[in-house]
Amino acid sequence: MIKSIDFLVDTVNKCGGVLGKPITYFKEDDRTDPPAGAEATTKLVKVDNVGGIVGAFASSVSTAALAIAVPNKVVMVSPGSTSPVFTERAKKGEFNSYWYRTAPPDTYQAVALANLAYKKGARKVATLVINNDYGVGFEKSFVAAFEKIGGTIVNKNKPTRYDPKATTFEAEAKSAFGSKPDAVAAILYPDSGGAVIKAAFEQGLTKDVKILLTDGVKTEDFPKLIGNTPEGKLILAGALGTVPGADGKSLDNFTKAFKEKTGQELGAFVPHSYDAAALIAIAAEAAKDGTGEGIKSKIREVANAPGQEVSDVCEAIKLVKEGKDIDYQGASGNVDLDEYGDVKGSYDVWEVQPDGKIKVIDRVSP
């Protein structure tokens, strides 16, 4: 994700920068920890005087960061914070239009995962979620979506929410898997989530239960973290998940250029990260102002119709410099931002292969 932002900054600076100057670019590590994220945001806002921030990734960190960015009139564009809580707060006017995201909220992904569970024959599902904005927000949306299509949530009255800082997870594993569901919808972060799944396996609770995962653990390190059965097979082999997909008009060109530059294939949220940085750059040029107030004044205008459709970021900057209306078409999608800062997006279905590789096998729509 970070390499795609590096790539965007490098690309724009090579074609003249923004407002006639190279983009000044700072990086801070939030360590997926809200207090660290708040500290990093304070530095960016108070010391570095940034107008826009790409991030955070974790919803809990974005919550902490927004408490600093919004009062200081700094725009945040997250490529991966998907909690529905942000939509609810934006509807109340809490962010004053300083918050946007290029990944769709989990209200949509939860519907996609519920549809996938039902399609795979699951009628009784338990939920197992990390106890933070991401996990609980997703859980609530998933429960509503799965019940709406005729499914039953077996632990609805006593949902299983785990503390990522806990040292043992046997009780949580038993709570989710012990009710003999057809599937468990597991909304996790890798380290702690891996420990919960492993605890369920060690108690003999994963047999004949389909494990459904999400974007938070779409990494080939995750199956390795959970490990193998005594017979040497991956415990997680056959697990299915959803992740915000990318279907933008410039995706093919971006994929080729990114691979040439970095030598890497695209991972989850990589196009979304590139687009988040691109929108900040284009909006600043359109506003002729690199402050947060300037970026905020133009970001939806350059992202949405009407305007000339353009997917090349240098061309987009050139056009807005000339005073032309544009409709930026990103690598992740059309990045049409609604009044709450959200995009709709589409979802890839991925499966853990027997060798631990992750393969996209389908696409589901919310």
Side-chain angles (χ1 to χ4, degrees), residues 34-50:
E39 189 180 323
T41 308
T42 301
K43 177 188 174 287
L44 291 169
V45 169
K46 299 288 191 183
V47 179
D48 301 319
N49 296 311
V50 301

Side-chain angles (χ1 to χ4, degrees), residues 3 255-266:
K3 282 182 179 174
T255 304
K256 285 175 197 157
F258 183 75
K259 189 171 183 182
E260 280 171 20
K261 180 80 176 174
T262 65
Q264 292 186 335
E265 303 290 343
L266 290 194

